[in-house]
Amino acid sequence: MNKYLHDFPLLLQPDEKGRRIAYLDNAATTQKPQAVLDAVTAYYQTSNANPHRGAYDLSEAATKALESAREKVRAFLGAPKAAEIVFTKSATESLNLVAQSYGMSFLNPGDEIVLAISEHHSNLVPWQIVARARGAFLTYLYTDESGRILPGEIEKKITGKTKLVAAAHASNVTGVVNPIEAIIDRAHQVGAVAVVDGTQSAPHMAVDVAALGADFYALSAHKMLGPMGVGVLYGKEKLLEAMPPFLYGGDMIEYVEEQTSTFAPVPQKFEGGTQNVGGAVGLSAAIDYLNSVGMESIREHERALTAYMLDRLRGVPQLKIVGPDELQDRIGVVSFTLEGAHPHDVATILNADRIAVRSGHHCAHPFMCHLGVQATCRASVYLYNSNEDIDRLAESLKGVRRWLGYGLE
Amino acid sequence: MDLSDLYTEVITEYGRSQKHRHPLEHPDVTERGVNPSCGDDISLELEVNGGVIEKAAILGSGCAISQASAAIMAGLIEGKPTGEANRLAALFLGMIRKDVTDENELEELQDGVALQNISNMPARVKCATLPWHTLEEALKKL
């Protein structure tokens, strides 16, 4: 049994048949360790108040909780300053913030925005909207059939016209880790800013935004053992300072007069409205938990699990892996199709064996189109998964086609 | 809900049936139906003559449930006046919503009754209803 499993109450719950869930949908969201649940409860039991406002001790405690979570995230990401860490409600909001604030202000007619074709809709649709509003153009970095960005594509597509490049550090469809350093370096070479969607990478590998040189880096708490409703945007201080606010209202102003206002310094400028302090506290506890395990250990554990999963899936008749069938530059996200079985049926049939996988297009329509698949099943692992989960997946998959009536005629 | 109540022989056979999966030569109406979250993406083609649906074809791709529902629907509506097809769509959707439960009333849906249990599986309801909603939209265009 996996030694971390005991820390995750949901994963220990047996169903009426005594079966544990084989939870393999970690790219969608992750389960929470008791330490995170306790930290959130403790915040509400001892420190809850509106931060940055009251003159009383309790408000000070809430402010301290929020600001120490910010410092925790800063250290986790290797960001130079805590002021460069903005709390949002999700990675989607983080990316929309960059699009609406930076994109709408600094992109001009004729400018090019370069995206990886493998982007999640949250790092694609906001740029379509900005491009349309500003008269800019979208161009794409295309991939080979395993989802890897084609050689030469970075130099060819990121040119003097490029003003912004947006790409995921790792793909939520194929698990490919993109050559993000090369993409960022090329963007800077031509004077463009680089927006990195770190939603799938930050939970699974050590990330150092300063070493990467990313201008913006977005992530989501609930995909790294933290609560839902909290996202993070890292942005270089100079860029954040030059950008207009995103949400206007309380807690983000300096002076407000009848006709005009001035705004708070970063990061408060981008944090209009009461923040999800309980959520930030949960994220902080999640980072503590991840650090106690060690990001390198997590990466190694997932590497071994992915190797085992690829091996077991190769043994399932009529199964095809969508994405790289090897371990190099990938995370533990594996998409696949089963001949003659729609992914939605596969997921329903696996569910009957208490195995949770995702099915569908994974919010990446243009990428699915590019790969020539309608939908896939996706199994994704985390630190609490074990070979036993993979064995259950592989065995259950072998029975899927029979449920759908194949092999009966 | 047990898998054996969902993937019955009737459903899996209709799900794999090729009978209505050929494009029509001169469709009078073509309507696309999509379930954005799961990737069901179908296209319904109808040839209508004098208010009667002469041929129905279902193209595209989808799960066994949506494909079975589509195949059953195509078989049911061929040869029927459009008003009749609309009524059957309302009856099918009523069955899924559990508004219509009377067996005699549902008899008209023939093998479509095999999908009645899907109402106990919220995650799959939209798979079963997709072809019928698409039919309703197609008929509005005629």
Side-chain angles (χ1 to χ4, degrees):
Chain A
M1 200 168 166
N2 179 303
K3 63 176 167 178
Y4 304 114
L5 198 57
H6 293 284
D7 297 334
F8 293 82
L10 185 146
L11 296 172
L12 297 172
Q13 292 297 318
D15 70 357
E16 69 282 0
K17 292 177 186 161
R19 302 171 302 182
R20 264 199 325 108
I21 189 167
Y23 185 76
L24 294 168
D25 196 15
N26 294 288
T29 197
T30 56
Q31 301 305 333
K32 319 305 172 198
Q34 190 62 48
V36 166
L37 305 176
D38 289 346
V40 175
T41 304
Y43 166 76
Y44 284 112
Q45 284 175 341
T46 65
S47 311
N48 178 55
N50 207 319
H52 300 145
R53 295 185 202 199
Y56 47 93
D57 289 348
L58 200 56
S59 174
E60 192 48 45
T63 306
K64 214 170 146 192
L66 181 65
E67 295 311 317
S68 71
R70 194 186 311 280
E71 171 56 26
K72 193 68 63 67
V73 175
R74 183 208 65 75
F76 184 73
L77 289 177
K81 295 181 178 177
E84 298 176 311
I85 302 298
V86 178
F87 284 117
T88 62
K89 76 169 157 61
S90 59
T92 295
E93 186 177 289
S94 300
L95 294 164
N96 273 271
L97 190 163
V98 182
Q100 288 298 316
S101 173
Y102 184 89
M104 288 297 189
S105 307
F106 296 105
L107 295 177
N108 293 306
D111 287 350
E112 284 188 6
I113 300 169
V114 176
L115 310 176
I117 189 67
S118 46
E119 289 316 293
H120 188 279
H121 293 162
S122 58
N123 201 23
L124 192 155
V125 181
W127 301 115
Q128 289 181 337
I129 302 303
V130 169
R132 192 178 306 158
R134 301 294 305 159
F137 296 97
L138 295 183
T139 52
Y140 287 92
L141 301 169
Y142 289 114
T143 69
D144 66 12
E145 59 183 17
S146 74
R148 295 199 186 278
I149 291 174
L150 289 162
E153 195 70 356
I154 295 170
E155 288 68 29
K156 196 168 81 189
K157 298 284 175 64
I158 303 175
T159 69
K161 287 184 185 164
T162 308
K163 292 293 176 277
L164 186 138
V165 180
H169 196 162
S171 162
N172 71 313
V173 176
T174 58
V176 163
V177 175
N178 283 321
I180 205 70
E181 293 92 339
I183 292 172
I184 295 168
D185 287 350
R186 177 66 180 168
H188 291 165
Q189 206 176 42
V190 302
V193 301
V195 183
V196 182
D197 175 4
T199 308
Q200 297 295 338
S201 47
H204 303 283
M205 59 176 82
V207 169
D208 186 323
V209 290
L212 286 176
D215 296 297
F216 298 99
Y217 200 93
L219 56 92
S220 157
H222 74 89
K223 286 182 163 71
M224 47 188 285
L225 311 181
M228 289 183 175
V230 181
V232 168
L233 175 68
Y234 157 79
K236 284 185 180 163
E237 191 179 28
K238 268 192 170 171
L239 291 168
L240 292 177
E241 280 176 347
M243 288 156 58
F246 174 53
L247 294 173
Y248 296 86
D251 220 23
M252 53 75 64
I253 46 83
E254 193 179 32
Y255 300 107
V256 178
E257 294 162 4
E258 279 195 13
Q259 301 297 326
T260 57
S261 298
T262 55
F263 305 113
V266 294
Q268 270 74 37
K269 177 168 87 173
F270 294 105
E271 293 180 351
T274 300
Q275 292 302 293
N276 182 354
V277 182
V281 166
L283 171 59
S284 180
I287 291 174
D288 284 339
Y289 186 92
L290 292 171
N291 284 337
S292 74
V293 177
M295 294 311 290
E296 293 303 331
S297 309
I298 291 172
R299 183 94 169 111
E300 270 319 299
H301 174 66
E302 290 180 16
R303 219 177 148 74
L305 279 177
T306 310
Y308 188 67
M309 174 147 63
L310 290 170
D311 193 49
R312 289 298 319 257
L313 292 182
R314 278 183 211 113
V316 177
Q318 316 267 21
L319 185 143
K320 189 171 166 283
I321 287 166
V322 177
D325 190 4
E326 30 88 21
L327 285 179
Q328 204 198 332
D329 296 329
R330 70 132 64 224
I331 54 168
V333 171
V334 181
S335 265
F336 57 87
T337 56
L338 199 57
E339 175 63 31
H342 191 277
H344 217 110
D345 295 310
V346 177
T348 296
I349 293 167
L350 294 179
N351 175 60
D353 286 332
R354 221 171 171 223
I355 301 162
V357 299
R358 178 72 188 274
S359 61
H361 53 62
H362 317 299
C363 297
H365 260 147
F367 190 38
M368 301 300 273
C369 232
H370 176 72
L371 293 174
V373 286
Q374 281 282 339
T376 71
C377 282
R378 180 188 70 186
S380 48
V381 299
Y382 211 4
L383 70 167
Y384 39 62
N385 290 114
S386 59
N387 284 0
E388 185 199 333
D389 297 324
I390 312 290
D391 286 334
R392 284 172 62 186
L393 171 70
E395 287 311 310
S396 189
L397 279 170
K398 287 178 185 169
V400 165
R401 281 172 51 88
R402 203 166 327 120
W403 277 113
L404 296 174
Y406 295 97
L408 293 176
E409 44 287 56
Chain B
M1 182 180 177
D2 209 62
L3 278 187
S4 51
D5 296 329
L6 182 66
Y7 296 109
T8 60
E9 214 177 308
V10 177
I11 299 295
T12 59
E13 275 182 17
Y14 272 108
R16 284 175 296 137
S17 160
Q18 295 299 312
K19 197 174 167 197
H20 296 278
R21 308 201 113 261
H22 309 287
L24 303 182
E25 274 181 36
H26 305 289
D28 295 289
V29 62
T30 300
E31 183 69 29
R32 189 176 172 193
V34 178
N35 277 333
S37 65
C38 63
D40 290 337
D41 189 348
I42 63 168
S43 197
L44 170 68
E45 295 185 349
L46 300 175
E47 263 179 41
V48 183
N49 209 339
V52 174
I53 297 170
E54 293 196 327
K55 283 183 189 163
I58 304 272
L59 310 170
S61 69
C63 65
I65 305 302
S66 68
Q67 296 300 295
S69 184
I72 292 168
M73 182 188 83
L76 272 175
I77 62 174
E78 271 187 356
K80 297 237 165 52
T82 53
E84 193 72 348
N86 245 328
R87 201 178 55 75
L88 287 172
L91 183 60
F92 183 89
L93 296 170
M95 173 183 81
I96 299 293
R97 282 196 305 269
K98 294 190 181 176
D99 290 344
V100 188
T101 51
D102 182 62
E103 276 180 39
N104 296 325
E105 220 179 314
L106 294 176
E107 209 172 293
E108 273 191 284
L109 293 173
Q110 299 177 23
D111 284 341
V113 177
L115 287 158
Q116 191 170 14
N117 282 329
I118 207 85
S119 46
N120 300 322
M121 256 191 137
R124 302 306 297 275
V125 162
K126 63 188 188 308
C127 312
T129 55
L130 176 68
W132 298 87
H133 285 303
T134 310
L135 172 65
E136 286 185 326
E137 291 306 310
L139 293 173
K140 278 183 203 163
K141 285 188 176 171
L142 285 170

